[in-house]
Amino acid sequence: MPTPTKGPRLGSGPAHERLMLANLASSLFQHGRIKTTEAKAKRLRPYAEKLITLGKRGDLHARRLALRKITDKAIVHELFTEIGPRYENRDGGYTRITKIGPRKGDNAPMAVIELVEAAPAKPAASRSAAPAAQAEPAQEEGTAAPEAGEQAAEEPTSGQTAQAEEAAQAEDESSDEKK
Amino acid sequence: MAVPKRKKSRARTRIRRSQWKASRPVLTSCPRCRDPKLPHVACPTCGTYNNRQVVNPA
């Protein structure tokens, strides 16, 4: 079996490993989030993200490359029409792995791997604006304005998170009282 | 075939087995519900990680 670039080998042979990864990726694209073992989730992440990159490219060649791995045409269609365009503003990191502790029965560490939400258009805009500002240092107004905008954007979010935490704590307290 | 010459005494067996120990798991408290949980793992009681609902506990 070829050595994986990252993570342990899966299954009992190269064909078994290929099939497992393809099936895991199909399930992930079909359901959006799947629960599996940590080892499989860690192997699935680069595999699935490369397929999503093909979905972002969206041409016929990319579609044929994806169909080499995932044989279900409906899932490849969803990958190219919904999942790929959703991550237009995100450069990689389309999946999130969260560990959820050992499994009852064999104590295998389990994890949830899910497709993350689409990135807002703002980061891409600020990223494109920042190099332009660096390239033109003479325009101080241009550099100052995006920074002020970023600070203004950051402050409300931190305030919101603090409020959300307070609300969450209040809820917990109320739930404790109910108990 | 090589075999042990002597029966292992109860004392030797027990001395060997005195080294079988279970280790205490490292636990942290969940920021949401204050219950103990494993570090870097979603809380098993409230199902959250980083204030994000990951699983719905039974």
Side-chain angles (χ1 to χ4, degrees), chain A residues 76-162:
Chain A
V76 172
H77 181 72
E78 193 184 348
L79 175 66
F80 277 70
T81 52
E82 290 173 26
I83 297 170
R86 197 203 308 170
Y87 296 128
E88 205 56 56
N89 298 319
R90 193 180 278 277
D91 303 326
Y94 313 118
T95 58
R96 177 189 300 127
I97 295 175
T98 312
K99 296 170 191 170
I100 54 171
R103 170 163 66 190
K104 205 170 196 177
D106 65 353
N107 209 29
M110 300 297 283
V112 166
I113 179 165
E114 56 190 334
L115 300 173
V116 301
E117 309 79 34
K122 279 181 183 176
S126 66
R127 211 174 289 160
S128 62
Q134 286 172 359
E136 299 172 6
Q139 293 181 347
E140 289 179 1
E141 290 176 359
T143 55
E147 285 175 1
E150 284 172 4
Q151 284 174 357
E154 284 168 6
E155 281 169 5
T157 54
S158 60
Q160 283 172 0
T161 52

Side-chain angles (χ1 to χ4, degrees), chain A residues 33 35 38 96 98-102 112 114 117 165 168-169 171-172 176, chain B residues 31-35 38-44 49 51-55:
Chain A
R33 57 181 288 150
K35 188 165 104 176
E38 258 182 55
R96 177 189 300 127
T98 312
K99 296 170 191 170
I100 54 171
V112 166
E114 56 190 334
E117 309 79 34
E165 284 172 6
Q169 286 176 358
E171 285 174 5
D172 290 338
D176 289 340
Chain B
R32 182 65 78 83
C33 65
R34 312 283 172 216
D35 271 13
L38 291 169
H40 308 294
V41 169
C43 176
Y49 188 73
N51 274 330
R52 187 195 306 276
Q53 194 72 32
V54 180
V55 286

Side-chain angles (χ1 to χ4, degrees), chain A residues 50-63 65 79-80 84-85 88:
Chain A
K50 273 165 195 153
L51 285 170
I52 292 174
T53 308
L54 288 178
K56 281 172 81 175
R57 265 171 54 186
D59 53 353
L60 182 62
H61 181 54
R63 191 179 287 261
L65 287 175
L79 175 66
F80 277 70
E88 205 56 56

